[in-house]
Amino acid sequence: MSRSPDRPEPVRLAAEIVAEIEALPLRNTPEVRAVRRSYSGRLKGADATYVLGLARDLLRRYGARWVAYELIAAHAEAFRSLGAAELEEFGQGMDSWSAVDTFARTLSGPAWRDGLVDDVLIHRWARSEDRWWRRAALVSTVALNMRSHGGTGDVRRTLDVCQMLVSDRDDMVVKA
């Protein structure tokens, strides 16, 4: 993993980010996002491999999914480097609606919208035995339709996924 001499190993930077978040007097979305934004600014010149390594450390060592996902999404090169393998790696271990929705709204949906992954991947998730991957397929359609975030109102692809899941009775999928 390439890094500049003035940039610490991803594992050290991950620990620094988590320590800063844990030191916040109030850990709400705006406060945590402010910390993430400051690190995103520091990472502008970093290569994609470094940012993905940092995100992996945040996710694996600290369970900091949301921060990891937002760091990737805010770094154009890291985001553009996402493919099916990376998305499935970053989605591993999703076990709640919030984990899935964060993943699908921040990474998988925008990656699908931008053509980084194809319909086949999302359809495979929709047919998964795992409720969380099925929910991720459905929530990924949000990015196709949010004009304020680059969506164009992709009715066909949205309805394809909805059709695949219309008879799913799992509460977490129905609520999505």
Side-chain angles (χ1 to χ4, degrees):
M1 175 175 318
S2 63
R3 67 179 181 90
S4 67
D6 60 332
R7 189 167 281 124
E9 288 295 329
V11 66
R12 285 191 37 235
L13 190 57
E16 182 182 316
I17 292 168
V18 169
E20 192 167 331
I21 290 169
E22 288 177 349
L24 290 170
L26 185 61
R27 274 185 252 160
N28 58 23
T29 299
E31 299 298 323
V32 173
R33 185 165 277 142
V35 171
R36 192 274 306 154
R37 281 187 176 135
S38 74
Y39 282 91
S40 288
R42 289 173 51 185
L43 292 167
K44 277 191 196 294
D47 66 25
T49 304
Y50 182 87
V51 174
L52 292 177
L54 173 60
R56 283 182 183 99
D57 285 329
L58 285 165
L59 183 59
R60 291 178 186 156
R61 294 176 187 271
Y62 301 103
R65 271 183 197 281
W66 179 59
V67 175
Y69 296 162
E70 284 205 354
L71 279 171
I72 295 168
H75 190 277
E77 184 186 346
F79 178 76
R80 283 191 311 270
S81 75
L82 294 175
E86 292 79 16
L87 287 175
E88 290 189 332
E89 174 189 1
F90 283 106
Q92 286 302 310
M94 293 183 297
D95 61 0
S96 67
W97 68 265
S98 61
V100 171
D101 291 10
T102 299
F103 170 75
R105 296 279 314 272
T106 308
L107 292 183
S108 64
W112 184 31
R113 177 199 64 217
D114 293 354
L116 302 176
V117 296
D118 60 19
D119 296 359
V120 173
L121 176 69
I122 304 301
H123 292 181
R124 183 164 44 86
W125 294 352
R127 290 187 298 274
S128 174
E129 293 290 317
D130 185 299
R131 74 193 306 196
W132 303 116
W133 284 109
R134 293 194 315 274
R135 182 181 175 99
L138 192 54
V139 176
S140 291
T141 66
V142 171
L144 302 176
N145 298 292
M146 283 192 67
R147 293 187 195 284
S148 62
H149 289 89
T152 58
D154 194 327
V155 174
R156 182 193 57 80
R157 291 197 300 166
T158 300
L159 291 179
D160 285 349
V161 173
C162 291
Q163 183 66 38
M164 295 174 79
L165 293 166
V166 71
S167 62
D168 196 311
R169 294 292 158 235
D170 185 291
D171 197 39
M172 288 295 110
V173 177
V174 171
K175 288 180 179 181

